[in-house]
Amino acid sequence: MTNAKSPSERRAHLVRLAGDLFAEKGFRATTVREIADAAGILSGSLYHHFDSKESIGDEILSAFLEDVLAGYREAIRETADPRTAIEQIVRSSTATLGRHRAALTMLQNDWNYFSGQPRFAYLRTAMKEIEQTWIDQLERGKQTGQFRADLDARLTYRLLRDILWLPTSWRPSATWSTEQIVDGLLRLLFDGITVP
Amino acid sequence: MTNAKSPSERRAHLVRLAGDLFAEKGFRATTVREIADAAGILSGSLYHHFDSKESIGDEILSAFLEDVLAGYREAIRETADPRTAIEQIVRSSTATLGRHRAALTMLQNDWNYFSGQPRFAYLRTAMKEIEQTWIDQLERGKQTGQFRADLDARLTYRLLRDILWLPTSWRPSATWSTEQIVDGLLRLLFDGITVP
Amino acid sequence: MTNAKSPSERRAHLVRLAGDLFAEKGFRATTVREIADAAGILSGSLYHHFDSKESIGDEILSAFLEDVLAGYREAIRETADPRTAIEQIVRSSTATLGRHRAALTMLQNDWNYFSGQPRFAYLRTAMKEIEQTWIDQLERGKQTGQFRADLDARLTYRLLRDILWLPTSWRPSATWSTEQIVDGLLRLLFDGITVP
Amino acid sequence: MTNAKSPSERRAHLVRLAGDLFAEKGFRATTVREIADAAGILSGSLYHHFDSKESIGDEILSAFLEDVLAGYREAIRETADPRTAIEQIVRSSTATLGRHRAALTMLQNDWNYFSGQPRFAYLRTAMKEIEQTWIDQLERGKQTGQFRADLDARLTYRLLRDILWLPTSWRPSATWSTEQIVDGLLRLLFDGITVP
DNA sequence: AATGAATGAGTGTTCATTCAT
DNA sequence: AATGAATGAACACTCATTCAT
């Protein structure tokens, strides 16, 4: 009668519903009642599947960061050329971010909230690895003579990172395809806007 | 011991205190009790000076945007050269953003919240003017041959804007002076990271 | 010990409790905490059943007016004789008002508050229908020669209406039965106090 | 420079302003801030003239009841004829009520609030005297054969009293003059609406 | 006679969470 | 797996009142 799904499928479905709402209005601004409404159940019933709202957030966020880091690690493992590595990082980020739109907006809207809690300590850890990867590649590029010698790697990273995390940018639209966005970004990053 | 201040000074002081808290933890995440605590008064007493929490936010946000727009308008009024105009915009933004750190984090954390309310309609208006200014200058630069002809002005703006609005970047630190940050950014913007 | 009731019974019970308090001290003067106390729960728990204090008032008031208007409509549908119609209106009002004591005091104490809100616009609408019904019957009685020709229908209605809405009068007491009250009122209305 | 008024004039002016607001929105629903605003001063400054909001209400209410009772006493002192006495009571009430519109609405909206407080005990006392006066005259009229013998004096009073206290009725309008209202009421009271 | 700042108790409301059924 | 009812702490806000200046 009811199309019986496996328990974990039901659970995954709820996480996805919650993620959509988190993406739309932020983690804190989304109430468990809204999540439950979207699922067609009562708010209390959610606690049969999760022991807290934060545990839903945890699930979304940790899956996202594992995915991101996997992309970064693969990018630097596959190639010795820093320019190619950075290009690969950017391209892998595009794909990853497209898959985890909810996680991204959650981090942007409520970074302070999450990063302050012990439970989400892995957020800071992951961000450090991401930063270090960028700095490493930028420094190596300076040594190979591919990147400008006067580049401050850390400063450049800070200036660049957020461009990568703009959720709107990463949603292919009627105006720009994903490819166009990535190419535009890489062109900007490597060559700037000035005619040489 | 009580240093008598002018009537409006007290009010301005409270706005500053509130702004610091908003910057630190977001507008919504900051309670009026926390603001009152910071001022050493009771929460209800705040309403002697403001008629709502939102009106404090309004004061901070509108002051910020007026300041930003003034900088943009002056930048394009003073010069006909698009490259110089953009450089001027970036430099004025640096100064403005340094003066309005609270407003910036408020917008980043709670953009959805504010932009959805009629009271804050001016936020969207201002953002449109900012976007248009960037696109205008980028297009003009393409026509003068200063910028690459294949530049998608709108896409480039979207990619660039947020780099300008990173509050962390704009706080001069022990590591980087404001000058260094601006120069690094302009270098990146105009020339990219690659050795020509 | 807990007598299991149907879901909506609980809700109806709360409405009744709230109505008693509203009748006793007025709608505005009654706090949601008092209602909750009367129900033996916490104030916040009321919001599981209602989405606002006003929605409780709405429920009470609209039920009352529907009942009143039903009585009026039936009275004028059943009879063509204006004197009988008015007598029927008075008798039906007696019954209705006895069933809705809370609504009546709410309207008397907080008419200004309610009638000013769009949500309660139906209050004014209903009052207009009530007034029109009275005026119609009084005018018809003048034409049939049953009522004095010099009667100002509108003025008479205004003078009469509130006599019908006195909650104290409509509570049968040790002193007077409901029948006595209605008869007294009708006698007064039709014949005055003077010996003919 | 400033047109200096006597202290008591200023005070009386404030009482009048407050009374207007009380009449418009009820005693409890009117805030001291609103009174102060109407007077062009700050709310705290009112406490230079009155020691509480209730003391303003007290002033208005006690003046009203003294006036009402004076009218009643004079009416029964001047004449031995109960019908004339009642007519005189009604006529004097009209005048009095016109002069104390604020007091009347205050009593109607917030009777429960006032009558429950020891400070306003005189309200109940005065109402008792009013009731007794009506009953006395009605009984005497029955004995003289002027009023119907089957009249329940107490019930009739209850049914009549509120008709006298309708503030809207007592404000002469474009539609009805004060005279018309009084005459209409007396006609209704003595003769009813039926053609003899 | 008035200001400007503050108090403190209270208001309606929200929301993550719990739990017996 | 879900319901329906409730909790309890917090929230933004109100308002009569006080008081030093």
Side-chain angles (χ1 to χ4, degrees):
Chain A
M1 261 162 70
T2 60
N3 44 355
K5 307 232 173 182
S6 80
S8 61
E9 266 182 79
R10 175 81 177 130
R11 189 189 159 91
H13 176 60
L14 292 172
V15 172
R16 228 172 299 125
L17 284 177
D20 288 346
L21 288 166
F22 294 158
E24 199 181 320
K25 3 189 336 182
F27 177 79
R28 290 162 102 170
T30 303
T31 70
V32 301
R33 222 190 198 101
E34 287 166 333
I35 301 171
D37 281 355
I41 59 178
L42 289 180
S43 67
S45 307
L46 273 180
Y47 289 80
H48 195 71
H49 304 275
F50 310 95
D51 45 72
S52 73
K53 183 185 169 187
E54 269 165 23
S55 79
I56 308 181
D58 199 347
E59 215 148 302
I60 294 173
L61 253 23
S62 56
F64 166 60
L65 283 174
E66 278 168 29
D67 214 349
V68 168
L69 288 181
Y72 271 64
R73 286 168 190 153
E74 199 186 336
I76 59 175
R77 186 164 38 75
E78 279 182 355
T79 175
D81 175 34
R83 180 178 164 133
T84 314
I86 285 184
E87 186 164 343
Q88 184 56 29
I89 285 173
V90 172
R91 292 196 184 277
S92 95
S93 290
T94 312
T96 308
L97 269 46
R99 259 179 275 123
H100 297 270
R101 210 166 53 79
L104 202 47
T105 28
M106 284 166 67
L107 288 181
Q108 287 182 328
N109 288 326
D110 298 297
W111 169 262
N112 282 336
Y113 174 71
F114 290 120
S115 67
Q117 295 180 241
R119 168 171 209 165
F120 292 98
Y122 62 83
L123 291 177
R124 290 192 181 280
T125 314
M127 290 309 280
K128 270 183 200 143
E129 182 175 341
I130 289 170
E131 174 171 9
Q132 198 53 51
T133 305
W134 272 92
I135 291 177
D136 285 351
Q137 299 309 311
L138 289 171
E139 288 294 356
R140 285 185 48 235
K142 282 162 66 176
Q143 282 165 7
T144 62
Q146 288 172 291
F147 300 153
R148 289 190 281 104
D150 62 342
L151 209 65
D152 183 318
R154 197 179 172 81
L155 176 57
T156 305
Y157 160 70
R158 287 236 185 272
L159 293 174
L160 282 175
R161 182 192 57 187
D162 295 68
I163 229 175
L164 268 170
W165 296 66
L166 278 184
T168 51
S169 309
W170 303 115
R171 237 181 315 174
S173 64
T175 322
W176 304 301
S177 70
T178 305
E179 275 307 297
Q180 277 176 301
I181 294 172
V182 186
D183 290 340
L185 174 57
L186 287 170
R187 190 78 199 274
L188 195 64
L189 170 59
F190 288 126
D191 302 324
I193 66 174
T194 311
V195 170
Chain B
M1 196 61 193
T2 61
N3 37 359
K5 309 235 172 179
S6 88
S8 58
E9 264 181 80
R10 177 74 179 138
R11 190 189 159 91
H13 176 60
L14 292 171
V15 172
R16 231 172 296 125
L17 283 178
D20 289 345
L21 288 166
F22 293 158
E24 198 181 320
K25 7 191 334 186
F27 177 79
R28 288 161 104 170
T30 303
T31 71
V32 296
R33 257 181 187 88
E34 286 168 334
I35 302 172
D37 282 354
I41 58 178
L42 289 179
S43 71
S45 305
L46 274 179
Y47 291 80
H48 181 66
H49 304 275
F50 311 96
D51 44 65
S52 72
K53 182 185 169 188
E54 269 167 23
S55 81
I56 308 181
D58 200 347
E59 214 149 302
I60 294 174
L61 253 24
S62 56
F64 166 59
L65 284 173
E66 277 168 30
D67 214 348
V68 169
L69 289 181
Y72 271 63
R73 286 168 188 155
E74 200 187 334
I76 59 175
R77 185 166 40 78
E78 279 182 353
T79 173
D81 176 35
R83 179 177 165 134
T84 314
I86 285 184
E87 185 164 342
Q88 183 56 28
I89 284 173
V90 172
R91 293 198 183 276
S92 95
S93 290
T94 312
T96 308
L97 270 44
R99 259 179 275 124
H100 297 272
R101 209 167 53 79
L104 203 45
T105 25
M106 283 166 69
L107 288 181
Q108 288 182 327
N109 288 326
D110 297 296
W111 169 262
N112 282 338
Y113 175 72
F114 289 120
S115 67
Q117 295 181 240
R119 168 173 206 162
F120 293 99
Y122 62 82
L123 291 178
R124 290 192 181 280
T125 313
M127 290 309 280
K128 269 180 201 147
E129 181 174 342
I130 290 172
E131 174 172 10
Q132 199 53 52
T133 305
W134 272 94
I135 290 177
D136 285 350
Q137 299 308 313
L138 289 171
E139 289 293 356
R140 285 182 51 232
K142 282 163 68 177
Q143 282 165 6
T144 61
Q146 288 172 292
F147 300 153
R148 290 190 282 105
D150 63 342
L151 210 63
D152 183 318
R154 198 178 172 81
L155 176 57
T156 305
Y157 160 71
R158 287 234 186 272
L159 293 173
L160 281 174
R161 183 194 57 188
D162 295 68
I163 229 175
L164 265 169
W165 295 65
L166 278 183
T168 51
S169 309
W170 303 115
R171 238 181 318 176
S173 64
T175 322
W176 305 301
S177 71
T178 305
E179 275 307 298
Q180 278 178 299
I181 295 172
V182 188
D183 290 340
L185 174 57
L186 286 170
R187 190 77 197 274
L188 195 65
L189 169 59
F190 288 127
D191 302 324
I193 65 175
T194 311
V195 170
Chain C
M1 197 60 194
T2 61
N3 39 358
K5 309 235 173 179
S6 87
S8 57
E9 264 181 80
R10 177 73 179 138
R11 190 190 157 91
H13 176 60
L14 293 172
V15 172
R16 231 172 296 125
L17 283 178
D20 289 345
L21 288 166
F22 293 158
E24 199 180 319
K25 12 192 328 185
F27 178 79
R28 289 161 103 170
T30 303
T31 71
V32 296
R33 268 171 183 93
E34 286 167 334
I35 302 171
D37 281 355
I41 58 178
L42 290 179
S43 71
S45 305
L46 275 179
Y47 290 81
H48 181 65
H49 305 275
F50 310 96
D51 44 66
S52 72
K53 182 186 169 186
E54 269 168 22
S55 80
I56 307 182
D58 200 346
E59 214 149 301
I60 294 173
L61 252 24
S62 56
F64 167 59
L65 284 173
E66 279 168 28
D67 214 348
V68 168
L69 289 181
Y72 270 64
R73 286 166 189 158
E74 201 188 334
I76 59 175
R77 186 163 41 76
E78 279 181 353
T79 175
D81 175 35
R83 181 180 162 131
T84 315
I86 285 184
E87 185 165 343
Q88 183 58 27
I89 284 173
V90 172
R91 292 197 184 276
S92 95
S93 290
T94 312
T96 308
L97 269 46
R99 259 178 275 123
H100 297 272
R101 211 169 51 80
L104 202 46
T105 25
M106 283 167 69
L107 288 181
Q108 287 182 328
N109 289 326
D110 297 296
W111 169 263
N112 282 337
Y113 174 72
F114 289 121
S115 66
Q117 295 180 241
R119 167 171 209 164
F120 293 99
Y122 63 83
L123 291 178
R124 290 192 180 279
T125 313
M127 290 308 280
K128 269 181 201 149
E129 181 175 341
I130 289 170
E131 174 172 10
Q132 198 54 51
T133 304
W134 271 94
I135 291 177
D136 285 350
Q137 300 307 312
L138 290 172
E139 289 293 356
R140 284 184 50 234
K142 284 163 64 177
Q143 283 165 4
T144 62
Q146 289 173 293
F147 300 154
R148 289 190 280 105
D150 63 342
L151 209 64
D152 183 317
R154 198 179 172 79
L155 177 57
T156 305
Y157 160 70
R158 289 235 185 271
L159 293 173
L160 282 173
R161 183 194 58 189
D162 296 68
I163 229 175
L164 268 169
W165 295 66
L166 278 183
T168 50
S169 309
W170 303 115
R171 239 180 316 175
S173 64
T175 322
W176 304 300
S177 70
T178 305
E179 275 308 296
Q180 278 178 300
I181 295 173
V182 187
D183 290 339
L185 174 57
L186 286 170
R187 190 77 198 275
L188 196 63
L189 170 58
F190 288 126
D191 304 323
I193 66 175
T194 310
V195 171
Chain D
M1 260 162 72
T2 60
N3 44 355
K5 306 232 175 183
S6 81
S8 62
E9 266 182 79
R10 175 82 177 128
R11 189 189 158 92
H13 176 60
L14 292 172
V15 172
R16 229 172 298 125
L17 284 177
D20 289 344
L21 288 165
F22 294 158
E24 199 181 321
K25 3 189 337 181
F27 177 79
R28 291 162 102 171
T30 302
T31 70
V32 299
R33 225 191 197 99
E34 287 167 332
I35 302 172
D37 282 355
I41 59 177
L42 288 180
S43 68
S45 307
L46 273 180
Y47 289 80
H48 195 70
H49 304 274
F50 310 95
D51 46 71
S52 72
K53 182 186 170 186
E54 269 165 22
S55 80
I56 307 181
D58 199 347
E59 214 147 304
I60 294 173
L61 253 23
S62 56
F64 166 59
L65 285 173
E66 279 168 28
D67 213 348
V68 169
L69 289 181
Y72 271 64
R73 286 166 190 155
E74 199 186 337
I76 60 174
R77 184 164 40 76
E78 279 182 354
T79 174
D81 175 36
R83 178 175 167 137
T84 315
I86 285 185
E87 186 165 342
Q88 184 56 30
I89 284 174
V90 172
R91 294 198 184 276
S92 94
S93 290
T94 313
T96 308
L97 269 45
R99 259 179 274 122
H100 296 272
R101 212 166 52 80
L104 202 45
T105 28
M106 283 167 68
L107 288 181
Q108 288 183 325
N109 288 326
D110 298 297
W111 169 261
N112 282 335
Y113 175 72
F114 290 121
S115 67
Q117 294 180 242
R119 168 172 210 166
F120 292 98
Y122 62 83
L123 291 178
R124 290 191 181 281
T125 313
M127 290 308 281
K128 269 182 200 146
E129 182 175 342
I130 290 170
E131 174 172 10
Q132 198 53 53
T133 305
W134 271 93
I135 290 176
D136 285 350
Q137 298 309 311
L138 289 171
E139 289 293 357
R140 285 182 50 233
K142 283 163 66 176
Q143 283 166 6
T144 63
Q146 288 173 292
F147 300 154
R148 290 189 280 104
D150 62 343
L151 209 65
D152 184 317
R154 197 180 172 79
L155 177 56
T156 306
Y157 161 69
R158 287 235 185 273
L159 293 174
L160 282 174
R161 182 193 56 189
D162 297 69
I163 229 175
L164 269 168
W165 296 67
L166 278 183
T168 50
S169 309
W170 303 115
R171 237 180 317 174
S173 64
T175 322
W176 304 300
S177 70
T178 305
E179 276 307 296
Q180 277 178 300
I181 295 173
V182 187
D183 290 339
L185 175 57
L186 286 170
R187 189 78 199 273
L188 196 64
L189 170 58
F190 288 126
D191 302 323
I193 66 174
T194 311
V195 170

